[in-house]
Amino acid sequence: MGEEDTELEARLEAQDVFEPPESFVEQANVADPGVYEEFEENWPDCWEGAAEMLDWETEYDQTFDGSNPPFFEWFTGGELNASANCLDRHLDERGDEAAIE
């Protein structure tokens, strides 16, 4: 490998914020800008609202356990199936659509 092969080139301009495409924003589960205020004022219990959007196999006991830093635990005692939440629960309404395009 020659020296010219090891040179790296940055192709992205440095940015602090990357705005999502409008098509993504339109289908988002959380589109209310007030969510930022909710998360600042009600941390960490604000995550309960997000947890309600999921199907749990076993309900969680506690949203956040910070008793053993830095080994924090979220949704202690809860169990969920990621595949079921991402795919299976949508089959009745969207089973004839491609999961990934």
Side-chain angles (χ1 to χ4, degrees):
M1 191 190 251
E3 192 172 310
E4 67 278 351
D5 294 333
T6 61
E7 186 176 318
L8 297 175
E9 180 181 344
R11 296 191 177 247
L12 262 183
E13 202 175 296
Q15 290 178 253
D16 290 333
V17 176
F18 293 88
E19 295 296 330
E22 188 62 33
S23 60
F24 181 83
V25 173
E26 290 171 358
Q27 63 82 46
N29 288 325
V30 179
D32 178 8
V35 73
Y36 296 106
E37 188 175 307
E38 167 67 17
F39 271 64
E40 284 184 25
E41 293 176 3
N42 193 20
W43 185 265
D45 294 329
C46 55
W47 282 101
E48 287 182 20
E52 290 173 5
M53 299 168 106
L54 300 171
D55 295 331
W56 292 85
E57 302 283 323
T58 305
E59 287 293 320
Y60 57 92
D61 303 314
Q62 184 178 2
T63 305
F64 175 72
D65 179 359
S67 64
N68 188 23
F71 303 103
F72 304 112
E73 293 186 38
W74 289 90
F75 306 108
T76 56
E79 293 182 15
L80 53 77
N81 181 321
S83 177
N85 275 284
C86 293
L87 299 171
D88 299 349
R89 70 181 181 152
H90 302 284
L91 289 176
D92 289 341
E93 293 179 19
R94 302 176 66 182
D96 59 345
E97 296 179 34
I100 300 175
E101 291 184 23

